[in-house]
Amino acid sequence: MSRPKRSQSLETRAIIIRTAKELFMQLGFRAVSTRQIADACGLTQPALYHHFSDKQTIYIEVLRSVCEETRGSLERIIERNTSVVEQLYEVAEYLIANHPEDLSRMFHDIRHELSAESQALVFRLWRGAYLLPIVGIFEQGRQSGQLRESTQFGIDANMSAGLLMGLISQSMASPIIGASPAAAAAAAAAAAPAASPQEGSPIKKNTKQLARMLVNVLLFGLSTAEPPSV
């Protein structure tokens, strides 16, 4: 394939993914057909199938694209901050600000519309994009002495990351609490807001305050007393 044709093919593929994401978020997996996606993109169905073999493949690619974007954003947050606490503040704020609007639909779609193989793939995408960057922050914090050793409370970096994710989900009234990791992946990969709030706006301020509150509860607790030895 020549370079111009390859570039055009990649651009068409990206348009399909963006369009499909909007339709899946609005209507749900089952209600969206490949014909709808093709029509919305200004393509014929055969042209759509040239890029993707079926609807489930498109859905997975939608989740993959969002996970890749999220991972890149979290990695940039981590790189520009040396303080573990500031890293956690900004990561929590990012995840809250980009929280999907309709988690119940995504939860249902992942559990009931995707094959077991696809669910496993979604979990791997979610783990790499959302969980592992946070695990790395907690590991770095313990290595640098900014956080307590896991032996003191028996909570390692993976559990700490899971607790933070749980607090974020709980704060957003998320149905993924107690759900399978694959369901959590669906929720995490659903959709970003149409426009980012401006710095200093009430929405931006509330998001920042909520993020800091959740991280503070996890890191510093609610009690004024010293933690008991275990």
Side-chain angles (χ1 to χ4, degrees), residues 11-27 32-43 48 52 58 62 65:
E11 182 179 349
T12 301
R13 183 182 175 91
I15 291 172
I16 293 171
I17 292 173
R18 287 198 303 269
T19 304
K21 176 183 174 182
E22 294 177 3
L23 290 172
F24 285 138
M25 293 313 107
Q26 291 173 6
L27 305 174
V32 176
S33 68
T34 54
R35 180 178 294 280
Q36 282 177 285
I37 298 172
D39 288 346
C41 294
L43 300 171
L48 179 74
F52 299 99
I58 299 174
V62 167
S65 69

Side-chain angles (χ1 to χ4, degrees), residues 163-185:
L163 287 171
L164 180 57
M165 292 291 287
L167 286 171
I168 292 171
S169 297
Q170 183 73 26
S171 73
M172 304 300 291
S174 166
I176 67 174
I177 296 300
S180 67

Side-chain angles (χ1 to χ4, degrees), residues 87-128:
Q87 288 174 347
L88 291 173
Y89 284 157
E90 289 198 33
V91 164
E93 182 180 350
Y94 177 88
L95 294 179
I96 292 168
N98 290 276
H99 203 271
E101 295 180 358
D102 193 345
L103 289 175
S104 59
R105 176 175 288 143
M106 290 298 297
F107 178 86
H108 179 276
D109 288 347
I110 286 291
R111 293 293 297 272
H112 299 286
E113 304 293 347
L114 300 188
S115 66
E117 181 180 358
S118 293
Q119 288 188 44
L121 173 58
V122 169
F123 169 59
R124 291 196 297 272
L125 291 172
W126 170 80
R127 186 173 185 274

